[in-house]
Amino acid sequence: MTRPVYLVDGARTPFLKARGTPGPFTPVDLAVQCGRPLLARQPFDRRALDLAILGCVNVIADEMNPARVAALRLGLGEAMVAFTVQINCGSGMQSIDTAFRYIREGRHDMILAGGTEALSHAPLVLRQSAAAWFGQMAQAKGPMEQARAMTGLRPEFFKPVVGLERGLTDPITDLNMGQTAEVLAHRFGITRKTADAYAMESHHRLARAQREGWLKDEVMPAFTRDGAAHEHDDGVRPDSDMAGLAKPGPAFERPYGKVTAGNSSQITDGASWVIVASEDAVEKHGLTPLARIVDSEWAALDPSVMGLGPVLCSTPLALRNDLGAGDINLWELNEAFAAQVLSCLAAWNDAEFCREVLGLEGAFGAPDREDINTDGGAISLGHPVGTSGNRIVLHLANAMKRRGDRRGIATECIGGGLGGAMLLEAV
């Protein structure tokens, strides 16, 4: 049995740039900050939800299974089943996809699906050698054994490893995510100037969306315990220009690399939720859907070129639904790196690549630049890893409705060599 599935509403926090110290919100704090106003504006009792699913990558020690902690803090009730999903950058989309499949198959009628991440709270971890030494000290019996163990103390034991840095390094290829973008820039001839121009456009588009009020119903203010309000994505630079973007040196491959801090996604904190519902739930509660979730697709590829994940999942998704490039009116392609997005567009226009990798007769065709990330993306917004997949689906639905578009695809590359995509249709 397959049933129509709808995205009926959603909300997110502002994305807050990490600035060297833990931010004001933990992952669950963020999920609660946007979850409360989202649920408050619904015509149904929040306990009418069947399930809560939350994507999160960097789970902190005080919030194991953040989905359950958030569900309880949101007042969903002790009987509410809630679980956390993790597929790196795709976690927030995975929560929607899981909800979509449950509802399509008739197992549930209404699910709260989200993503949250507080990258500023990513842990500092001990080196393996330091952990071993502390273990020896803990097991030492008596002053003599403790004294002998003390002789193994080394100064480097007190220099922690940045957990986020290791988390953004692929354990198979030992390349960090920025280096994988450099691989693509070399393969598709992406220049530093082109990447910087894309980054500048991302900032200008987000600034325009904020100025025009297009994010008003999507972005909910977040309030700290001392009453400070965070109302907007704070990493945007409305005055971004090519001269400023030309100043930073290559971040990963000096001196000739194309990927810089300026044309990469920002490290941020943020959360997003959507409500996914069956046709029965829509009718029962008098809901007005934003869009219908038509289909989804996941793909896997060499981790060293993980940035091409959107090409490998979006293309078969479109073709399975008898759609060509020209049939998709709007795209949200998560901006991990400008060079990565541009490489995806180049790959879609490369007939040889499409024949050899996608099995097509010729080029699939890239989206028009006006129809991709029309209101900016992770370069200007930031990329809270477990959240971004949820945000791009929510914003795609909102932007399609605003523009009067019929179909859209939200897609992203995923660390580890994966890609995820979701096809939406207007209702």
Side-chain angles (χ1 to χ4, degrees), residues 11 21 53 63 66 96 98 106 110 155 187 226 230 263 267 277 302 304 309 312 355 361:
T21 59
I53 312 171
E63 296 176 350
I96 302 175
T98 303
M110 197 158 55
R187 163 65 177 82
D226 60 5
H230 298 270
N263 60 39
I267 296 173
D302 184 336
S304 68
L312 271 72
R355 281 193 299 269
E361 293 182 358

Side-chain angles (χ1 to χ4, degrees), residues 175-223:
L175 297 176
N176 64 47
M177 297 299 99
Q179 289 173 312
T180 69
E182 290 285 12
V183 171
L184 295 183
H186 178 73
R187 163 65 177 82
F188 291 99
I190 307 301
T191 67
R192 166 71 185 272
K193 185 176 181 180
T194 306
D196 285 350
Y198 183 94
M200 178 181 70
E201 187 174 59
S202 180
H203 283 280
H204 292 174
R205 289 184 175 192
L206 175 57
R208 179 187 63 188
Q210 291 179 336
R211 187 170 60 249
E212 296 292 336
W214 292 339
L215 305 178
K216 177 172 62 70
D217 294 328
E218 181 176 318
V219 180
M220 300 292 104
F223 300 94

Side-chain angles (χ1 to χ4, degrees), residues 177-349:
M177 297 299 99
Q179 289 173 312
T180 69
E182 290 285 12
V183 171
L184 295 183
H186 178 73
R187 163 65 177 82
F188 291 99
I190 307 301
T191 67
R192 166 71 185 272
K193 185 176 181 180
T194 306
D196 285 350
Y198 183 94
M200 178 181 70
E201 187 174 59
S202 180
H203 283 280
H204 292 174
R205 289 184 175 192
L206 175 57
R208 179 187 63 188
Q210 291 179 336
R211 187 170 60 249
E212 296 292 336
W214 292 339
L215 305 178
K216 177 172 62 70
D217 294 328
E218 181 176 318
V219 180
M220 300 292 104
F223 300 94
T224 64
R225 293 178 184 275
D226 60 5
H230 298 270
E231 300 182 273
H232 307 289
D233 305 306
D234 66 1
V236 62
R237 297 188 294 275
D239 57 352
S240 181
D241 58 26
M242 293 297 286
L245 285 163
K247 292 178 181 178
F252 306 103
E253 294 293 332
R254 297 180 179 89
Y256 302 115
K258 311 301 189 297
V259 180
T260 71
N263 60 39
S264 303
S265 58
Q266 301 177 36
I267 296 173
T268 50
D269 299 349
S272 174
W273 289 106
V274 298
I275 297 170
V276 185
S278 68
E279 195 166 43
D280 289 344
V282 167
E283 293 177 358
K284 177 180 178 180
H285 299 291
L287 306 176
T288 303
L290 291 172
R292 183 170 75 91
I293 303 175
V294 178
D295 200 358
S296 62
E297 180 70 19
W298 302 87
L301 67 164
D302 184 336
S304 68
V305 289
M306 68 94 199
L308 292 177
V311 178
L312 271 72
C313 59
S314 299
T315 310
L317 175 64
L319 295 176
R320 183 168 65 238
N321 288 275
D322 298 321
L323 302 173
D327 298 314
I328 309 301
N329 309 114
L330 188 60
W331 293 74
E332 280 289 323
L333 197 164
N334 191 46
E335 297 172 351
F337 304 93
Q340 170 261 324
V341 176
L342 293 169
S343 293
C344 287
L345 302 184
W348 269 315
N349 282 329

